[in-house]
Amino acid sequence: MVLLRIDGGEITPQIEVTYFDTILNLKEMIRDVLGVEIERQTLVYDERTLLDDEEIRHCIFGRDSATVTLSVAPLPEGTKIAVQLESSLKQGSMRTRETDSVADLRSKIERRWGLRNCSITLFRLDTQMNEDLPLSAYYVVDGTKIDVQVTLFEEGR
């Protein structure tokens, strides 16, 4: 078995594969964990783009762990995606762009959910999202679930 750390974004999952798995198998596992479509994934190891039909044993020579870099092809400019929002107060979906910032999505949530006198923090796969970064840094794609933590302030604050 080989433990691969998937680098390239703010979320860095670790995926265990066999030496006989192919890069396509790995991309399927990445899709299952991050939701990123296989066609949009490019994987690089040791400055070399990995090909779908290659077996791990031919790419990661004799190692039991390694870091593979994932890059995701952007959607055409202006393409909107639907994200699933979940909080203890409310659930729903919202349309946005992968290139929008986390702060942009937080502001949309505040407006659409009618939230005032509160603090909103967004999480993707248990990772707190930095307001200054684009949603794509967290592999936010169509259908992604985002956890919304709402902290209400006391009246008068």
Side-chain angles (χ1 to χ4, degrees):
M1 297 299 276
V2 181
L3 184 64
L4 296 178
R5 180 177 187 264
I6 309 302
D7 202 8
E10 295 298 309
I11 297 173
T12 53
Q14 294 188 17
I15 297 176
E16 196 169 52
V17 296
T18 71
Y19 287 106
F20 299 101
D21 278 321
T22 64
I23 296 305
L24 181 58
N25 296 138
L26 175 58
K27 287 181 174 183
E28 290 168 347
M29 292 177 209
I30 291 170
R31 179 199 58 212
D32 293 345
V33 172
L34 296 176
V36 177
E37 299 92 343
I38 292 169
E39 317 68 62
R40 296 182 61 200
Q41 298 179 34
T42 300
L43 297 173
V44 175
Y45 174 71
D46 200 23
E47 298 182 21
R48 186 176 75 79
T49 300
L50 303 176
L51 304 175
D52 287 350
D53 61 347
E54 289 183 280
E55 290 183 349
I56 298 295
R57 66 187 172 130
H58 297 297
C59 309
I60 317 289
F61 305 105
R63 304 186 93 181
D64 58 1
S65 67
T67 299
V68 175
T69 303
L70 167 65
S71 64
V72 178
L75 291 173
E77 188 175 336
T79 301
K80 289 203 170 188
I81 59 171
V83 294
Q84 303 306 311
L85 304 170
E86 291 190 15
S87 79
S88 59
L89 299 175
K90 207 169 194 176
Q91 294 181 355
S93 67
M94 189 167 290
R95 297 194 55 77
T96 189
R97 293 180 182 83
E98 292 177 334
T99 53
D100 287 349
S101 71
V102 173
D104 291 337
L105 179 58
R106 183 189 48 73
S107 294
K108 278 185 187 178
I109 294 168
E110 285 175 344
R111 283 192 313 274
R112 298 247 175 94
W113 287 9
L115 298 173
R116 289 173 188 32
N117 294 322
C118 66
S119 167
I120 295 177
T121 307
L122 303 180
F123 292 86
R124 164 95 164 104
L125 297 173
D126 297 323
T127 300
Q128 183 173 336
M129 300 171 75
N130 181 325
E131 300 241 330
D132 298 329
L133 296 176
L135 296 171
S136 60
Y138 296 93
Y139 305 114
V140 172
V141 295
D142 196 49
T144 294
K145 178 182 156 245
I146 295 176
D147 292 309
V148 181
Q149 182 182 49
V150 179
T151 305
L152 299 174
F153 297 137
E154 295 176 24
E155 287 295 320
R157 269 185 84 181

